[in-house]
C-alpha cells in the first residue's frame, strides 16, 4: 500500500518531504508495482501452461481482490501522479487485467460489496476507471520514435492496447450499472452522483478516437443508463453538459461505420422520446442541438482536411453525407413501429431534423460566400468545381461577382434554395432564449442577399435582426449561451489531441487550427460587435442590455444604407423603421415600469443602481439613434419629391424612373428534368419544376437591361422591349446553369407559356 510506504518513508515531524525522501518513495513504489506486474501478472500471462481460458480466469481470481482493494485505497495517490507516470500506468494495467480476466461473478460480487451504504466505494471505483481513461490515451497514435511510456510496449501493439483497455473500461461501466442500479435506487443521496460519474466517464471515452466496437459499447452504456434511470434523471444529471453530449452524438452520426451511426440515431430517438414523455416538449434539447451543430459540422470538415481528404467544395459536401443520412433516419422514426416515439412527438422530430439539415446547408453556404478566398485550415478549397465555369468569358453577366470574390453564384448553385435554408435555420431559434444564434444566421442571410445585389432584401433581413434584439431585451436573463467543449481543446486532459494531422503530409495542421476553424462557426468572431469571451470554462459571452442596444443600433444603420442603395425605397424604409420604433418604445416603456416598480432605484445597492442607470441610458440612446435614422429617411423622401416635380421627358430621366421601379418576373420551368431537380442530398432547389414562381428582379439586372436596350435602340425605348430585355437578362444565369446539365439546343427561353401538346 502506498499509504504504508509513505508512513515508513517520510518524516512525520516535517510538513513537506525532502527531495531525497520523494526519490526514495518513488523508487520503492516503482519496485513494488513492477514486482507485482512482472512476477505475478505478466509472467503468468505469457506462460504457455496457463493459456487456457479456465487457467487465466483462475489466476486472475487469485489476485483480483487484493488488487481491487489496494487500488481503491490508493486512488487518491494515483490521481496525483502524472498521467503517463510509470507507477500509475503499471498499477492501472494490473487493475484492468484483473477486471478482464477474473470471473464475472467475482467482479459483480465486489461491485455489490462496494454498494454498502456504510462505506460507499462505487465512486472510488468510477474514479479508477476515469484514471484508466486518461492514462491510456497516451497510446493513441503512438509511432516509432515516440517517447514510449512503457519499455515493454511496441508501437505496433498500441492500437491493440488502446482498444482492449477502453473495451474493458466500457464493459466494467456497463456491469456496474447493471449490477448496482437497484442498490443505488434505494440510496437517493448517492444515486445522482453515481449516474453523473458514469455519464462523465462515458463522455470522456466516446470523445476519443476509438474503434467502432468501443464506440458501440460506450453508447450502449449510455443507452443502458437512459433506460435504467430515465430521461428525466439523465437531463438533470448532465445539466449544461447536454451540449457536449449533443456534440458527441452528431460526431458519431457522421461516422463511416454504419453500426456507430445506427446506435447514435437510436440513442437520439430514445433521449428525445424520453424527454417528451417526461416534460411534454423537446424545445430545450432542440435549442442545444441546433446551437452546437455548426461547430460539429465545421470540425468534421476540418478533421477531413487535416487528413488530406478535402480539396474542393464537392469533397466538403461528401464529408457530411453520413450525418445527413443519420438525421434522415431520426426523422423517419415513426410511432407505428417505435413505441419510444409518441404520436404527437413525430411532427417535432421532423421539424428538428429539417432544421438540422438547414443548419448544415448554412455552414456550406457560409463557406461558399468566401468565394475564391475560401480556406479551410489555411488551405484553399476550390469553390469552382468546373474550371471553365469560373472563366469570365464563359460565365453569364451577373452569375459571378469577381469584384467581391463571391462565388455563391457559380452555375452549380444557381438553383439552390440558399435563402430558404438560412432563413429556416434562423427561425429555429426564439428571440427570448437564443437571440444571438438567430442573429448569427440572419446576418449570414444578409451577406447572401448582398452578394447577389439584393439590397432591399438585405435591408429587410437587417430589420429582422433589429426586431430579434428588441424582443430579446425584456428576456435578457433567459438567454442561453453555449460553451466550448474543453476535451476538444485541452491537450492536457485529452492526450490524443496532438495526433491530429500527424499521419500524413498535413502534420502542420494540428488540433489548434482545427478547433479555431470550428470555433468560428460556433459563433463568428465579433458578431455584430459582440465581445469575444475567453473564460476558463469556455462559456461564451453573456450579453447585456447595453450590448444588445448597441447591436440594434448598428444593424439599423446598416439597413438604412442598404435601402438607399436602390432608388424609390425610401417610403418602404420609413414604414419599416416606424414599425421598429413602436416595438422598441414598448420595450423601453416596459423596462422603465420594471425599474420603477417595487422599491425602484432607492431600494437597491450601489452596483445595482449603477447597472440600472447604464441600461436605461443605453435604451434611451438606442431610441434617439432610431429617430435619427427616420429623420435621414424623411429627408431623402423630401429630396426625392422635389426632384420629381420636374417632369422632363429626356432619355436620362426616363431611365432614372425605370430604374426606380420594381420589376417582378414569373419563372416557369417545363420539359425534361435535369439531374439537379431530381432527389439528392444537397441543398434543395428554390424553383419547383412545372410550378411557376414569382421573383423580384435585382437592381443590377434592371440597370444592365436598360443599358443594353438604350444602346441598341439609339436612346428610344419601349415598354415591351424593356420588359423582354429584363426577362432575358434575369434568365441568363438560369439558362447557363441548365446548359451545363443538358444540351444547349434543348434549352429555349420563351416570353409566353408554350401551348400544351
Amino acid at each position: 500500500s502506498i499509504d504504508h510506504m509513505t508512513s515508513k518513508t517520510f518524516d512525520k515531524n516535517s510538513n513537506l518531504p525532502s527531495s531525497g525522501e520523494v526519490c526514495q518513495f518513488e523508487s520503492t513504489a516503482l519496485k513494488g508495482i513492477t514486482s507485482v506486474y512482472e512476477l505475478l501478472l505478466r509472467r503468468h500471462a505469457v506462460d504457455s501452461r496457463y493459456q487456457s481460458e479456465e487457467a487465466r480466469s483462475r489466476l486472475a481470481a487469485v489476485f483480483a481482490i487484493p488488487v481491487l482493494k489496494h487500488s481503491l485505497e490508493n486512488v487518491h495517490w494515483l490521481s496525483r501522479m502524472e498521467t503517463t507516470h510509470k507507477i500509475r500506468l503499471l498499477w492501472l494495467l494490473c487493475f484492468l487485467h484483473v477486471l478482464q480476466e477474473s470471473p464475472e461473478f467475482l467482479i459483480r460480487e465486489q461491485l455489490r460489496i462496494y454498494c454498502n451504504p456504510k462505506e460507499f466505494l462505487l465512486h472510488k471505483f468510477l474514479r479508477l476507471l476515469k484514471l484508466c481513461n486518461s492514462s491510456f490515451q497516451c497510446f493513441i497514435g503512438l509511432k516509432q520514435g515516440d517517447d514510449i511510456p512503457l519499455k515493454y510496449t511496441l508501437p505496433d501493439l498500441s492500437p491493440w492496447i488502446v482498444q482492449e483497455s477502453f473495451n474493458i473500461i466500457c464493459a466494467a461501466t456497463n456491469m456496474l450499472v447493471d449490477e448496482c442500479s437497484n442498490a443505488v435506487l434505494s440510496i437517493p443521496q448517492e444515486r445522482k452522483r453515481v449516474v453523473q460519474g458514469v455519464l462523465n466517464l462515458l463522455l470522456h471515452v466516446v470523445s476519443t478516437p476509438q474503434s467502432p466496437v468501443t464506440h458501440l459499447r460506450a453508447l450502449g452504456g449510455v443507452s443502458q443508463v437512459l433506460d435504467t434511470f430515465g430521461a428525466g434523471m439523465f437531463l438533470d444529471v448532465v445539466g449544461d453538459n447536454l451540449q457536449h453530449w449533443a456534440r458527441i452524438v452528431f460526431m458519431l452520426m457522421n461516422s463511416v461505420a454504419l453500426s456507430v451511426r445506427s446506435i447514435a440515431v437510436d440513442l437520439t430517438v430514445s433521449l428525445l422520446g424520453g424527454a417528451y414523455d417526461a416534460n411534454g416538449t423537446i424545445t430545450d434539447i432542440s435549442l442545444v442541438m441546433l446551437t452546437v451543430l455548426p461547430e460539429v459540422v465545421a470540425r468534421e470538415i476540418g478533421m477531413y482536411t487535416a487528413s488530406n481528404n478535402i480539396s474542393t467544395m464537392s469533397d466538403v459536401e461528401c464529408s457530411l453525407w453520413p450525418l445527413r443520412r443519420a438525421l434522415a433516419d431520426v426523422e423517419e422514426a415513426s410511432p407505428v413501429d417505435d413505441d419510444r416515439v409518441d404520436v404527437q412527438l413525430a411532427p417535432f422530430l421532423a421539424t428538428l431534423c429539417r432544421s438540422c439539415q438547414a443548419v448544415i446547408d448554412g455552414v456550406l453556404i457560409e463557406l461558399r460566400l468566401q468565394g475564391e478566398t475560401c480556406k479551410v485550415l489555411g488551405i484553399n478549397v476550390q469553390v469552382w468545381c468546373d474550371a471553365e465555369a469560373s472563366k469570365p468569358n464563359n460565365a453569364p453577366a451577373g452569375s459571378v461577382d469577381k469584384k467581391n470574390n463571391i462565388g455563391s453564384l457559380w452555375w452549380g448553385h444557381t438553383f439552390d434554395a440558399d435563402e430558404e435554408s438560412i432563413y429556416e435555420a434562423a427561425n429555429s431559434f426564439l428571440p427570448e432564449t437564443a437571440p444571438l444564434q438567430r442573429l448569427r444566421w440572419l446576418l449570414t442571410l444578409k451577406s447572401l442577399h448582398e452578394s447577389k445585389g439584393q439590397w432591399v432584401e438585405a435591408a429587410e433581413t437587417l430589420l429582422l435582426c433589429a426586431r430579434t434584439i428588441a424582443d430579446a431585451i425584456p428576456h435578457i436573463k433567459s438567454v442561453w449561451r453555449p460553451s466550448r467543449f474543453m476535451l476538444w481543446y485541452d491537450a492536457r486532459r485529452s492526450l490524443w489531441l496532438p495526433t491530429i494531422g500527424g499521419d500524413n503530409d498535413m502534420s502542420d495542421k494540428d488540433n489548434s487550427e482545427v478547433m479555431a476553424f470550428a470555433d468560428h462557426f460556433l459563433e463568428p468572431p465579433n458578431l455584430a460587435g459582440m465581445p469575444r469571451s475567453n473564460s476558463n470554462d469556455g462559456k461564451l459571452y453573456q450579453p447585456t442590455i447595453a450590448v444588445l442596444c448597441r447591436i440594434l443600433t448598428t444593424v439599423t444603420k446598416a439597413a438604412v444604407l442598404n435601402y438607399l442603395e436602390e432608388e424609390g425605397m425610401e417610403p418602404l424604409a420609413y414604414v419599416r423603421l416606424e414599425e421598429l420604433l413602436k416595438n422598441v418604445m414598448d420595450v423601453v416603456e416596459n423596462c422603465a415600469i420594471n425599474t420603477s416598480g417595487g422599491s425602484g432605484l432607492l431600494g437597491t445597492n450601489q452596483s445595482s443602481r449603477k447597472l440600472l442607470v447604464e441600461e436605461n441610458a443605453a435604451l434611451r440612446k438606442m431610441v434617439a439613434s432610431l429617430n435619427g435614422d427616420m429623420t435621414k429617411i424623411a429627408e431623402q423622401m423630401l429630396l426625392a419629391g422635389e426632384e420629381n416635380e420636374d417632369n422632363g421627358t429626356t432619355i436620362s430621366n426616363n431611365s432614372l424612373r425605370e430604374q426606380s421601379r420594381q420589376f417582378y418576373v414569373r419563372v416557369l420551368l417545363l420539359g425534361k428534368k435535369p439531374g439537379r431537380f431530381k432527389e439528392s442530398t444537397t441543398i434543395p432547389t428554390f424553383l419547383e419544376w412545372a410550378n411557376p414562381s414569382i421573383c423580384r428582379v435585382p437592381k443590377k439586372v434592371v440597370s444592365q437591361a436598360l443599358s443594353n436596350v438604350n444602346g441598341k435602340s439609339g436612346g428610344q425605348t419601349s415598354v415591351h422591349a424593356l420588359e423582354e430585355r429584363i426577362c432575358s437578362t434575369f434568365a441568363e444565369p438560369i439558362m447557363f446553369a441548365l446548359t451545363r446539365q443538358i444540351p444547349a439546343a434543348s434549352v429555349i427561353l420563351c416570353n409566353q407559356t408554350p401551348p400544351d401538346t
Side-chain angles (χ1 to χ4, degrees):
S1 172
I2 296 182
D3 285 327
H4 179 73
M5 287 190 294
T6 54
S7 63
K8 296 293 185 179
T9 304
F10 296 157
D11 184 4
K12 296 183 178 180
N13 297 325
S14 176
N15 294 328
L16 295 176
S18 63
S19 58
E21 290 174 336
V22 172
C23 293
Q24 181 183 357
F25 166 71
E26 288 187 353
S27 175
T28 305
L30 182 59
K31 289 180 179 179
I33 191 61
T34 302
S35 299
V36 174
Y37 176 76
E38 284 289 325
L39 301 179
L40 298 180
L41 298 182
R42 186 169 178 270
R43 175 171 293 184
H44 287 91
V46 299
D47 195 324
S48 59
R49 297 173 297 174
Y50 305 106
Q51 293 307 305
S52 65
E53 183 177 354
E54 180 182 359
R56 295 200 313 271
S57 178
R58 182 180 300 177
L59 284 173
V62 173
F63 304 113
I65 295 179
V67 170
L68 292 176
K69 176 184 176 182
H70 289 293
S71 298
L72 293 175
E73 290 176 351
N74 297 285
V75 63
H76 59 289
W77 287 105
L78 294 173
S79 62
R80 295 181 183 181
M81 297 179 184
E82 290 292 333
T83 308
T84 57
H85 198 287
K86 290 183 179 180
I87 297 176
R88 174 167 161 171
L89 285 173
L90 287 173
W91 193 307
L92 294 179
L93 276 175
C94 300
F95 174 71
L96 290 184
H97 175 76
V98 298
L99 287 181
Q100 181 186 33
E101 299 293 344
S102 297
E104 183 177 339
F105 77 89
L106 180 61
I107 302 300
R108 288 181 177 270
E109 181 182 358
Q110 291 299 309
L111 290 175
R112 287 194 297 270
I113 294 174
Y114 300 157
C115 294
N116 188 348
K118 294 183 179 180
E119 46 176 359
F120 201 79
L121 299 177
L122 278 185
H123 303 307
K124 289 187 176 181
F125 186 81
L126 283 172
R127 192 175 182 186
L128 278 172
L129 294 178
K130 292 178 183 177
L131 295 179
C132 294
N133 168 75
S134 59
S135 290
F136 291 105
Q137 288 184 27
C138 65
F139 296 105
I140 297 178
L142 195 64
K143 302 185 297 295
Q144 191 69 37
D146 290 347
D147 184 15
I148 302 175
L150 298 177
K151 65 179 181 180
Y152 310 106
T153 304
L154 298 177
D156 295 339
L157 293 178
S158 61
W160 178 84
I161 293 176
V162 171
Q163 178 169 329
E164 287 299 314
S165 59
F166 281 90
N167 282 344
I168 297 170
I169 294 171
C170 294
T173 306
N174 297 345
M175 189 184 304
L176 182 149
V177 175
D178 182 50
E179 191 65 34
C180 303
S181 57
N182 293 330
V184 298
L185 285 175
S186 61
I187 314 175
Q189 64 272 20
E190 301 291 350
R191 178 178 55 197
K192 186 173 181 179
R193 289 184 59 196
V194 170
V195 176
Q196 186 175 17
V198 169
L199 291 177
N200 189 25
L201 170 62
L202 293 176
L203 179 65
H204 281 69
V205 172
V206 294
S207 65
T208 59
Q210 300 293 338
S211 66
V213 175
T214 306
H215 279 149
L216 284 174
R217 289 191 176 187
L219 289 184
V222 179
S223 298
Q224 186 182 14
V225 172
L226 197 59
D227 295 338
T228 304
F229 298 98
M233 172 64 73
F234 180 91
L235 295 175
D236 183 40
V237 166
V238 299
D240 202 40
N241 285 339
L242 178 63
Q243 58 183 309
H244 304 327
W245 279 106
R247 289 181 170 98
I248 293 299
V249 169
F250 281 135
M251 179 191 71
L252 297 180
M253 280 185 178
N254 202 45
S255 172
V256 295
L258 177 60
S259 57
V260 176
R261 293 203 306 272
S262 299
I263 196 171
V265 169
D266 184 77
L267 176 62
T268 303
V269 174
S270 298
L271 177 59
L272 294 174
Y276 187 82
D277 292 339
N279 305 322
T281 180
I282 58 171
T283 303
D284 294 339
I285 301 179
S286 300
L287 167 62
V288 172
M289 295 177 67
L290 292 170
T291 299
V292 302
L293 179 56
E295 180 194 19
V296 179
V297 171
R299 182 177 181 272
E300 289 296 300
I301 296 173
M303 294 289 281
Y304 273 96
T305 305
S307 300
N308 202 18
N309 291 321
I310 287 180
S311 59
T312 66
M313 188 58 64
S314 179
D315 296 334
V316 173
E317 295 174 356
C318 291
S319 68
L320 302 174
W321 282 355
L323 177 58
R324 288 186 181 273
R325 181 63 258 178
L327 290 172
D329 292 339
V330 175
E331 185 177 0
E332 292 171 0
S334 172
V336 177
D337 53 9
D338 195 336
D339 58 0
R340 298 171 299 177
V341 181
D342 190 89
V343 176
Q344 297 179 351
L345 173 62
F348 295 104
L349 278 182
T351 302
L352 171 61
C353 293
R354 286 197 301 268
S355 299
C356 289
Q357 299 282 9
V359 168
I360 298 175
D361 295 341
V363 173
L364 298 178
I365 293 168
E366 287 182 337
L367 287 175
R368 284 199 277 110
L369 281 173
Q370 299 178 23
E372 295 177 344
T373 62
C374 177
K375 290 186 177 182
V376 179
L377 308 187
I379 301 173
N380 290 323
V381 175
Q382 183 182 354
V383 177
W384 319 104
C385 298
D386 186 343
E388 294 183 358
S390 64
K391 297 178 182 178
N393 295 332
N394 293 338
S399 65
V400 179
D401 190 348
K402 292 288 182 179
K403 178 180 179 181
N404 297 319
N405 291 325
I406 293 173
S408 63
L409 299 182
W410 169 67
W411 69 266
H413 304 296
T414 300
F415 299 110
D416 289 357
D418 294 344
E419 294 85 349
E420 288 82 352
S421 294
I422 298 179
Y423 187 68
E424 184 175 359
N427 276 345
S428 303
F429 300 100
L430 298 177
E432 294 80 7
T433 55
L436 295 178
Q437 291 92 316
R438 182 182 175 90
L439 181 69
R440 170 241 201 285
W441 290 115
L442 288 177
L443 290 177
T444 300
L445 179 58
K446 183 266 300 184
S447 300
L448 180 61
H449 283 308
E450 289 180 345
S451 71
K452 297 181 179 182
Q454 300 168 349
W455 303 106
V456 175
E457 287 82 353
E460 293 283 316
T461 305
L462 286 170
L463 288 187
L464 279 177
C465 297
R467 282 193 288 272
T468 297
I469 298 301
D471 293 338
I473 289 176
H475 308 278
I476 187 69
K477 295 182 180 180
S478 303
V479 172
W480 180 79
R481 300 289 287 146
S483 58
R484 300 178 181 89
F485 189 24
M486 298 313 296
L487 292 180
W488 282 352
Y489 285 87
D490 193 352
R492 295 173 300 177
R493 300 173 62 182
S494 301
L495 301 182
W496 64 275
L497 292 180
T499 64
I500 294 179
D503 296 334
N504 47 59
D505 55 358
M506 306 284 291
S507 57
D508 57 327
K509 308 303 178 185
D510 56 8
N511 181 70
S512 60
E513 291 199 32
V514 172
M515 293 313 302
F517 176 75
D519 190 55
H520 177 85
F521 287 87
L522 176 63
E523 184 171 281
N526 299 322
L527 177 66
M530 187 79 174
R532 195 66 171 170
S533 174
N534 293 316
S535 59
N536 294 329
D537 59 354
K539 195 170 185 64
L540 298 189
Y541 182 83
Q542 193 72 22
T544 62
I545 290 182
V547 170
L548 293 183
C549 291
R550 187 164 62 248
I551 294 176
L552 190 146
T553 301
T554 302
V555 298
T556 304
K557 291 185 178 299
V560 171
L561 295 177
N562 280 337
Y563 274 123
L564 297 180
E565 285 288 334
E566 295 196 19
E567 300 290 339
M569 289 292 107
E570 291 84 359
L572 177 62
Y574 190 85
V575 172
R576 292 288 189 264
L577 286 178
E578 190 175 27
E579 294 173 353
L580 176 62
L581 183 59
K582 291 179 181 179
N583 191 5
V584 169
M585 290 301 297
D586 292 338
V587 171
V588 173
E589 184 178 354
N590 291 333
C591 290
I593 292 175
N594 294 333
T595 302
S596 60
S599 58
L601 291 174
L602 298 179
T604 57
N605 55 39
Q606 184 176 359
S607 60
S608 299
R609 287 197 300 270
K610 181 180 178 181
L611 178 62
L612 290 174
V613 171
E614 291 178 352
E615 292 177 351
N616 187 54
L619 291 170
R620 300 297 177 184
K621 186 177 180 180
M622 175 182 63
V623 173
S625 176
L626 282 176
N627 284 316
D629 294 333
M630 290 190 65
T631 302
K632 181 178 180 180
I633 294 295
E635 292 175 351
Q636 290 287 338
M637 293 173 61
L638 180 61
L639 291 175
E642 293 176 352
E643 292 178 357
N644 289 336
E645 291 179 358
D646 183 9
N647 294 323
T649 58
T650 62
I651 298 296
S652 60
N653 285 338
N654 288 334
S655 299
L656 289 174
R657 283 197 298 272
E658 294 297 341
Q659 289 188 24
S660 64
R661 289 175 54 191
Q662 295 300 311
F663 291 90
Y664 296 85
V665 295
R666 181 176 181 268
V667 181
L668 178 62
L669 301 177
L670 297 173
K672 184 179 179 181
K673 286 185 180 181
R676 180 63 184 88
F677 286 85
K678 297 178 182 179
E679 183 179 0
S680 66
T681 57
T682 56
I683 300 175
T685 59
F686 76 95
L687 293 175
E688 296 184 16
W689 199 264
N691 288 326
S693 302
I694 306 299
C695 305
R696 193 181 80 90
V697 181
K699 175 186 175 183
K700 63 179 182 180
V701 175
V702 177
S703 301
Q704 183 180 352
L706 279 172
S707 62
N708 292 338
V709 170
N710 290 335
K712 292 182 179 181
S713 61
Q716 301 296 325
T717 63
S718 65
V719 175
H720 181 70
L722 176 61
E723 291 179 350
E724 285 190 348
R725 190 56 191 169
I726 289 177
C727 290
S728 61
T729 305
F730 181 85
E732 281 184 8
I734 299 176
M735 299 280 290
F736 182 78
L738 290 174
T739 57
R740 305 302 299 180
Q741 304 178 60
I742 56 179
S746 302
V747 181
I748 301 175
L749 175 63
C750 300
N751 291 330
Q752 296 182 355
T753 305
D756 296 335
T757 57

